[in-house]
Amino acid sequence: MIAVFGQAWYDVAEQKKTERWRSMIAFLKGEIADLAEGSVVLEVNGVGYEVLVPGQLSSSLEGVGQIIKLYTYMQVREDAVVLFGFLTKDDLQMFRMLTGVSGVGPKAGLNILSAVGADDLRFAILADDAKRIAKAPGIGAKTAQKIILELKDKLNLEEAFEKKLASGQIASENAADAGGKVVQEAVEALVALGYGNTEALKAVRSVKLTEDMDVEAVLKEALKRMVF
């Protein structure tokens, strides 16, 4: 009994210590000293920090010499201390939400964000699109469904659109931005007609968008998929 209590106390103490470590480095800002797929070495005040990043991020960086700021998450293991980095606080928040799902560790969370991206992941969760999430390496259908089950109620459709449109990945005056607004308005129109958020988003996402499609055209195609 004493041994069990002692182990439980030790586990709690270790967890609290780990949480303190995670909050020690909130972000790093410095010059890229080395860059590889899925990782970057950031030089900050003469010290090089190796940071694991989503594949989409590492491929978008200019290269050695670029000054960047990464919001970080620190994983403390028995054999290593690992830093994970993200370009925005929203991406870091999505990563934290993923690692809060039972059975999804930091490595799996990074794989998901590398394969899907934070914005698309939010929409996939809200649309019950387990297949999209399961495209990430090492993520099966059951884990994808579990992620949807545990995170869906923590996400908001309107906020997801706002984050998408405010993202640095979308310029305010380009075609992708216009397409995003068309999708948002089409989903909102379906919701106004009485359809649920998940049902509406799933139907609109199933429409193959073209540059000449307006809200009415997307709405018509989405309604066809909801009827048949």
Side-chain angles (χ1 to χ4, degrees):
M1 185 69 177
I2 295 176
V4 173
F5 176 79
Q7 181 62 45
W9 179 88
Y10 175 79
D11 291 341
V12 171
E14 284 297 300
Q15 183 178 2
K16 288 183 178 179
K17 183 173 71 174
T18 300
E19 290 300 325
R20 287 197 301 271
W21 272 94
R22 286 175 182 169
S23 62
M24 282 185 67
I25 302 178
F27 65 85
L28 292 171
K29 183 177 181 179
E31 181 178 315
I32 296 178
D34 193 19
L35 180 64
E37 183 178 358
S39 71
V40 57
V41 175
L42 208 60
E43 183 178 344
V44 182
N45 296 326
V47 179
Y49 296 87
E50 183 178 16
V51 187
L52 301 184
V53 298
Q56 293 182 1
L57 173 56
S58 61
S59 63
S60 69
L61 295 173
E62 295 175 7
V64 174
Q66 182 183 2
I67 303 296
I68 62 170
K69 180 178 181 179
L70 295 176
Y71 294 92
T72 57
Y73 172 99
M74 181 184 290
Q75 180 190 28
V76 180
R77 306 195 313 235
E78 290 183 1
D79 58 340
V81 176
V82 185
L83 280 173
F84 297 84
F86 305 89
L87 208 55
T88 69
K89 288 182 178 181
D90 286 335
D91 289 354
L92 174 59
Q93 181 187 30
M94 195 70 246
F95 177 78
R96 286 183 178 277
M97 291 176 69
L98 282 171
T99 56
V101 176
S102 176
V104 179
K107 184 178 179 181
L110 193 66
N111 284 343
I112 294 172
L113 290 176
S114 294
V116 183
D119 289 326
D120 287 340
L121 178 60
R122 292 186 187 94
F123 290 122
I125 292 171
L126 289 166
D128 288 335
D129 192 353
K131 289 184 179 180
R132 182 77 177 92
I133 300 172
K135 288 183 179 181
I139 304 299
K142 289 185 177 179
T143 301
Q145 288 288 1
K146 191 172 187 180
I147 289 171
I148 292 172
L149 181 64
E150 295 193 22
L151 298 186
K152 188 174 181 179
D153 290 341
K154 299 179 181 179
L155 297 174
N156 177 277
L157 182 60
E158 185 175 345
E159 289 182 0
F161 275 120
E162 289 176 356
K163 291 179 187 296
K164 177 74 172 177
L165 295 175
S167 171
Q169 299 172 9
I170 303 178
S172 60
E173 297 180 355
N174 65 14
D177 182 61
K181 289 180 180 178
V182 167
V183 169
Q184 180 178 2
E185 290 178 13
V187 171
E188 290 173 349
L190 288 173
V191 172
L193 290 172
Y195 294 99
N197 286 339
T198 297
E199 190 179 10
L201 181 58
K202 187 181 296 185
V204 173
R205 280 170 61 88
S206 69
V207 176
K208 187 174 182 180
L209 298 178
T210 59
E211 292 184 2
D212 60 337
M213 292 182 77
D214 57 12
V215 177
E216 184 178 354
V218 174
L219 192 57
K220 286 181 179 179
E221 290 299 317
L223 283 170
K224 290 179 184 178
R225 286 159 172 74
M226 300 181 88
V227 173
F228 297 102

